[in-house]
Amino acid sequence: MAHSRFVRTLPPLLVLFACLACSDDPTQGPADTDAWTDASADAWTDASADASADALSESRPDDGGNPPTDTPVPDATDAGHRDTPEDVPPQDLDGDDGSLDGGELDTAGDADAGRDSGQWEQSGVGDFALADYAEAARLATRFYGAQRCGDADNWLLTDNPHGDSCHLQDGPEHDPQLDLTGGWHDAGDYIKFTSTTAWTAYALLIGYEAFPAAYADQDGPSYGGVANGVPDVLDEVRVATDYLLRVHPDPDTLIHRVGGDQDHDLWVTSPYQSTLSVAQGGGQRPVFAGGRADVAGMTAAALAVAARVFREHDPDHAAACLTTARSVYALGRARTGTTPDGFYGDDDWQDNMLAGAAELHRTTGEVTYLEHAESYHAAVGRHYWVCGWDNPADLGRHALARAGHEGALAVWGEEVAAYAQRVSEQEYIRGMAWFHDWGSLAWASNAAFSAALYFKITGDETARGLAISQVDYVLGANEYGRSFLVGYGVNPPRRPHH
């Protein structure tokens, strides 16, 4: 059962908007492409901005990723073997005793660790000015504030006659003491999925980590218009990581969904729904606690990156993220296979565990995680699809490449080259990297996100061109001459169903 989903499709686009909006120069390749030092594409400050194309949220085709032979009009619904790295001393995550839950933060192998973002000398990169990309990134980030569940300053609910909070009884249906409030609604319905929340947080965090200068601090967590010293994208990601800490309340439990399909039968706002009966989606909503390796691996990856990123802003939160990342990854090792669910069905789990292991290695420097990641990398091989909520292999290989793994970089490069071959010359989708008719721009944006990360490491000009072209397509450089980002540009979508 596939549904259009905003949250999971926004991250890559948001990253790309931010990336192009910052002052990095994508025209300068890395100083040493053989060493693939991220030096070059700092050019890419990114803000996982699937925000726009969420409109075209995605769902993996039933045939396991093989593209259809027909080429329908794109959705217009809305608003995205080791080398030897130099040793770097481990850094404290908690600023306390130099370790956290038995592990230490190690930045060894980060090719661009300590570098600044480079310089953009020109007024624009693709077909738009830097200010256009910056505004697109701002809108994409703000979108997440409208998806917030619970009592979390959802700006969209400020004037709702039924209140500005919702679903405050999530959790007790499974355990009277369990608090599963918060997080993001998955789409226009109000279900919460751990896998897509984790994917979104993961992509946004990788984007921020790769291109930090691209992310502005213009607001605070409550959207009051006052900067708080934390980039706005991290204020939003914190909503997700707080929730991800709750879905793994003990070593043997992983909640993979909260809520049923009642939302699809009753079109009401979330505060009003919360006042209704359980049968109508209110009260103590159903909790599903059967998460397996696919969900565990993605959750571990997101939290492992959060442990790195948040140590500057909130060391205690960073420490909690690493502790939970370790535990949920261990659950995935013990509970292999995919999670049965009537909404999101993944046909693979090794790619998720690859991401979890690779990010835990990058965070802790522990060899065991690296060995696991290498094993999963070999098991996955070429995926012949595109990165996304159901396939984080590219991001896992990005982490391995940053640690000096040439084999992972090579396979990832083959995938990115294949993405570039997907750019269509056919009428109605000319210029779009075409993968599938469901959520078409989301897949294109995911491919562009992976390409941007690949360019940052290698300086590959084909990857750079792909990334820029897909962002510009979303913003209006297409045969329709219209923007696909709600609230931006010429003739953008209105009242989208997502």
Side-chain angles (χ1 to χ4, degrees):
M1 187 176 189
H3 297 278
S4 178
R5 302 290 171 191
F6 263 97
V7 165
R8 71 166 187 244
T9 61
L10 279 178
L13 249 189
L14 197 165
V15 171
L16 291 164
F17 291 151
C19 160
L20 289 170
C22 99
S23 57
D24 293 352
D25 184 357
T27 64
Q28 300 301 314
D32 181 358
T33 53
D34 290 333
W36 11 290
T37 69
D38 275 34
S40 101
D42 310 60
W44 283 108
T45 44
D46 55 294
S48 316
D50 267 76
S52 90
D54 335 331
L56 314 147
S57 45
E58 71 223 54
S59 168
R60 191 174 203 171
D62 295 336
D63 63 4
N66 296 319
T69 54
D70 57 327
T71 54
V73 179
D75 280 330
T77 49
D78 178 43
H81 275 61
R82 297 191 299 277
D83 208 354
T84 53
E86 61 178 340
D87 292 329
V88 177
Q91 303 175 29
D92 292 358
L93 270 178
D94 57 7
D96 191 349
D97 59 0
S99 65
L100 179 64
D101 188 30
E104 300 172 32
L105 179 69
D106 189 352
T107 58
D110 281 8
D112 63 349
R115 295 181 182 274
D116 61 23
S117 296
Q119 313 254 323
W120 283 36
E121 302 292 334
Q122 61 240 77
S123 61
V125 180
D127 291 340
F128 298 87
L130 299 182
D132 294 317
Y133 297 121
E135 175 61 6
R138 185 190 70 81
L139 291 171
T141 303
R142 184 175 171 80
F143 166 78
Y144 289 100
Q147 293 297 115
R148 293 179 182 179
C149 185
D151 186 9
D153 295 312
N154 182 321
W155 58 263
L156 190 62
L157 303 181
T158 301
D159 298 320
N160 190 291
H162 301 286
D164 58 3
S165 61
C166 64
H167 304 115
L168 298 179
Q169 298 183 65
D170 285 353
E173 188 272 345
H174 178 75
D175 181 332
Q177 305 303 314
L178 184 59
D179 177 7
L180 292 176
T181 59
W184 291 316
H185 297 136
D186 190 55
D189 55 19
Y190 309 123
I191 307 170
K192 295 186 292 194
F193 295 92
T194 299
S195 59
T196 54
T197 296
W199 156 251
T200 300
Y202 183 23
L204 291 173
L205 286 163
I206 287 295
Y208 173 79
E209 189 176 50
F211 312 110
Y215 295 85
D217 174 22
Q218 299 175 313
D219 224 323
S222 60
Y223 288 96
V226 179
N228 65 335
V230 177
D232 297 340
V233 71
L234 296 188
D235 287 330
E236 277 303 335
V237 169
R238 180 62 183 265
V239 173
T241 54
D242 281 343
Y243 180 74
L244 292 176
L245 294 179
R246 295 178 181 138
V247 301
H248 183 52
D250 62 71
D252 299 317
T253 302
L254 178 56
I255 309 299
H256 68 273
R257 171 159 56 100
V258 174
D261 61 1
Q262 297 91 336
D263 305 23
H264 303 156
D265 301 322
L266 190 66
W267 289 67
V268 296
T269 63
S270 57
Y272 180 64
Q273 184 194 53
S274 302
T275 69
L276 303 177
S277 67
V278 172
Q280 295 175 302
Q284 295 185 10
R285 297 198 291 175
V287 174
F288 300 83
R292 303 187 70 85
D294 54 340
V295 180
M298 191 79 83
T299 303
L303 292 176
V305 183
R308 299 196 298 265
V309 170
F310 280 105
R311 77 178 185 276
E312 173 186 351
H313 303 285
D314 188 338
D316 290 340
H317 182 64
C321 287
L322 181 54
T323 298
T324 303
R326 289 179 179 279
S327 180
V328 76
Y329 176 79
L331 181 149
R333 291 283 292 180
R335 197 178 295 167
T336 57
T338 58
T339 304
D341 189 273
F343 291 87
Y344 287 102
D346 200 344
D347 60 4
D348 192 9
W349 56 272
Q350 289 95 336
D351 50 357
N352 303 58
M353 291 296 285
L354 160 60
E359 299 300 350
L360 276 165
H361 168 255
R362 194 170 166 204
T363 300
T364 67
E366 294 178 17
V367 176
T368 297
Y369 290 127
L370 178 58
E371 292 172 345
H372 290 176
E374 290 176 327
S375 176
Y376 291 127
H377 158 68
V380 172
R382 284 285 308 277
H383 56 67
Y384 299 98
W385 176 231
V386 64
C387 67
W389 68 269
D390 59 347
N391 178 26
D394 287 9
L395 297 193
R397 286 171 172 147
H398 167 261
L400 283 177
R402 292 286 299 273
H405 196 295
E406 294 179 346
L409 183 70
V411 174
W412 179 25
E414 292 178 26
E415 305 292 4
V416 172
Y419 300 161
Q421 296 300 312
R422 296 275 197 149
V423 176
S424 178
E425 294 295 333
Q426 297 188 43
E427 188 178 11
Y428 304 123
I429 57 171
R430 185 175 295 114
M432 184 199 300
W434 180 261
F435 292 87
H436 197 258
D437 57 349
W438 181 268
S440 49
L441 282 181
W443 299 122
S445 300
N446 288 347
F449 176 41
S450 181
L453 292 173
Y454 185 75
F455 167 71
K456 181 170 171 62
I457 290 179
T458 66
D460 184 276
E461 286 296 321
T462 299
R464 172 183 178 273
L466 174 63
I468 293 176
S469 71
Q470 299 309 292
V471 172
D472 287 355
Y473 187 101
V474 168
L475 295 183
N478 53 60
E479 60 196 302
Y480 306 99
R482 64 169 299 179
S483 165
F484 285 97
L485 175 63
V486 173
Y488 173 87
V490 177
N491 191 25
R494 300 186 181 189
R495 301 182 182 86
H497 167 61
H498 71 287

